[in-house]
Amino acid sequence: MNCTKCKTKAVISLPRHNAAFCKGCFNGFVHDQVARAIKSEWMFGKEERILVAVSGGKDSLALWDILLKLGYRADALYVNLGIGTYSEQSHAKVTKFAEVVAASHGATLHLHTVEQEAGAGIKELAQLIHRPTCSTCGTIKRYQFNRVAIEQQYDVMATGHNLDDEAARLLGNVLHWQEEYLEKQGPSLPASVEGFAKKVKPLYRLSERELAAYAVLNRIDYIVEECPMAKGSKMLQYKEVLNRLETESPGTKQTFYWGFLEKQSKKQPTATTMTEKDRAVLHPCTSCSQPTTAEVCSYCKMMVRAKTVVPR
Ligand code: AMP
Ligand code: FES
Ligand code: ZN
């Protein structure tokens, strides 16, 4: 198998693009897909400051790597959730990448440790406040991503969600007709109200397999294990189903998700409509000032409950 571009020996085949690439041309392909995502979804420019949320997994570390190599001003944030060895190992991978690769580009890593603020790790915290671990985790991560982006005055916050993540989420939203979520499923969400950072997903054109290959070929040392709490989750089930379809008909995920984006862009000028809707329902939390639909935001409510049950 030879590289479709330069005809030397290929290291990866991409059935959905009917192509195969050597390492150099594959890196060029990945960088080009990210550059296209940034441009077509008006994500950010070269002067803007980007905060990448890095989990220690392949996607977000690859994203940080790609943005730095493309010449963007990208710092990162890692949230230590306190999930035993999983968090210890992912923390170590992020720190190593920050010291070895990111530092040579002058980039900074911000850290937030859940235990320091909440008095307990995510599992314990979820049990104490009687909520599922993953939703507690989601609330905390979303809150901290936004808080750090706003406090440190970043122009935009980027996550490592890839094509598989977005196609699986779309499948879930369609299966349950979650119309409100469908509206907000784009790869670029505006800073609709003061206190909300703009949020982007520059990897939405690349699959999980392509990102794993990018990380391996570029010697990015990432945590291979998924979060132990995610086992058996609906998201993983949807991914499995889509993978089966993809094997039978390469390009299924891309047709599904990109097709949705195309329809969405024709339907409405998303940014304006969403901004108007958000402005109508959001106002500052009376405790922390982050935008919320209630008087006190769900993060602050959670912290109040945690502090009443966690001995300090
Ligand atoms: P997940 O929801 O675990 O699939 O993660 C989606 C994206 O959220 C990742 O690609 C990261 O950008 C970000 N993320 C997940 N976990 C963390 C974490 N502990 N700290 C910082 N960013 C994270
Ligand atoms: Fe949040 Fe696993 S990453 S519970
Ligand atoms: Zn609050």
Side-chain angles (χ1 to χ4, degrees):
M1 185 175 63
N2 285 337
C3 173
T4 313
K5 258 187 128 176
C6 72
K7 312 296 174 208
T8 57
K9 195 169 179 298
V11 292
I12 182 166
S13 72
L14 302 182
R16 77 184 167 105
H17 289 289
N18 219 354
F21 291 123
C22 66
K23 181 181 165 183
C25 292
F26 178 65
N27 278 344
F29 160 81
V30 169
H31 289 186
D32 184 49
Q33 291 299 318
V34 175
R36 282 172 74 172
I38 294 169
K39 199 169 167 216
S40 66
E41 296 287 331
W42 307 86
M43 291 186 180
F44 41 74
K46 284 271 155 74
E47 341 56 51
E48 287 179 293
R49 290 175 69 236
I50 307 150
L51 181 68
V52 185
V54 289
S55 63
K58 61 182 185 324
D59 306 307
S60 47
L61 285 182
L63 175 59
W64 199 11
D65 182 87
I66 296 164
L67 292 181
L68 291 172
K69 285 181 181 157
L70 288 175
Y72 286 102
R73 301 171 67 191
D75 290 340
L77 165 68
Y78 171 72
V79 177
N80 188 318
L81 301 159
I83 309 179
T85 50
Y86 170 76
S87 290
E88 280 163 25
Q89 285 172 7
S90 52
H91 194 152
K93 303 281 185 199
V94 170
T95 316
K96 188 174 153 204
F97 185 89
E99 285 167 4
V100 177
V101 183
S104 69
H105 290 267
T108 309
L109 173 67
H110 302 271
L111 291 171
H112 173 81
T113 304
V114 169
E115 206 159 341
Q116 268 172 17
E117 192 156 304
I122 215 89
K123 259 159 69 179
E124 207 189 333
L125 186 65
Q127 268 168 14
L128 289 166
I129 61 173
H130 306 291
R131 278 196 43 198
T133 314
C134 288
S135 74
T136 310
C137 173
T139 304
I140 291 187
K141 283 196 295 201
R142 274 191 303 276
Y143 184 89
Q144 295 302 341
F145 292 171
N146 192 64
R147 183 182 67 83
V148 176
I150 295 290
E151 279 180 10
Q152 307 282 332
Q153 299 179 337
Y154 284 93
D155 296 293
V156 52
M157 219 224 83
T159 50
H161 292 96
N162 57 38
L163 177 60
D164 294 49
D165 295 323
E166 294 307 290
R169 186 200 294 234
L170 177 59
L171 181 59
N173 286 341
V174 169
L175 288 175
H176 299 101
W177 289 119
Q178 307 262 33
E179 288 188 33
E180 202 188 323
Y181 293 160
L182 280 169
E183 234 171 64
K184 294 200 169 187
Q185 224 212 299
S188 187
L189 288 181
S192 52
V193 291
E194 187 158 333
F196 257 163
K198 177 175 177 175
K199 297 182 181 75
V200 297
K201 299 171 182 171
L203 300 183
Y204 80 90
R205 299 179 65 91
L206 290 160
S207 73
E208 204 145 312
R209 177 174 164 267
E210 289 154 8
L211 286 157
Y214 180 87
V216 172
L217 288 170
N218 292 283
R219 297 177 196 281
I220 296 174
D221 185 13
Y222 65 91
I223 180 153
V224 178
E225 293 83 53
E226 294 275 348
C227 166
M229 300 297 122
K231 282 206 181 85
S233 75
K234 277 269 175 292
M235 259 325 161
L236 289 184
Q237 290 175 23
Y238 298 148
K239 281 188 180 177
E240 265 177 48
V241 170
L242 288 166
N243 278 337
R244 265 186 269 153
L245 293 170
E246 183 78 22
T247 310
E248 291 296 322
S249 324
T252 302
K253 289 176 207 168
Q254 158 183 329
T255 309
F256 183 46
Y257 184 59
W258 297 5
F260 162 75
L261 292 182
E262 218 178 289
K263 289 206 182 306
Q264 201 187 38
S265 71
K266 281 188 195 132
K267 211 175 103 196
Q268 36 154 284
T270 320
T272 338
T273 322
M274 265 171 37
T275 306
E276 280 164 11
K277 276 193 188 167
D278 278 359
R279 287 204 179 130
V281 292
L282 294 170
H283 45 81
C285 163
T286 50
S287 171
C288 74
S289 307
Q290 268 208 28
T292 175
T293 49
E295 201 183 317
V296 176
C297 77
S298 49
Y299 180 84
C300 286
K301 280 186 202 147
M302 196 187 276
M303 287 305 116
V304 169
R305 288 185 67 190
K307 278 164 196 161
T308 53
V309 284
V310 179
R312 295 216 125 209

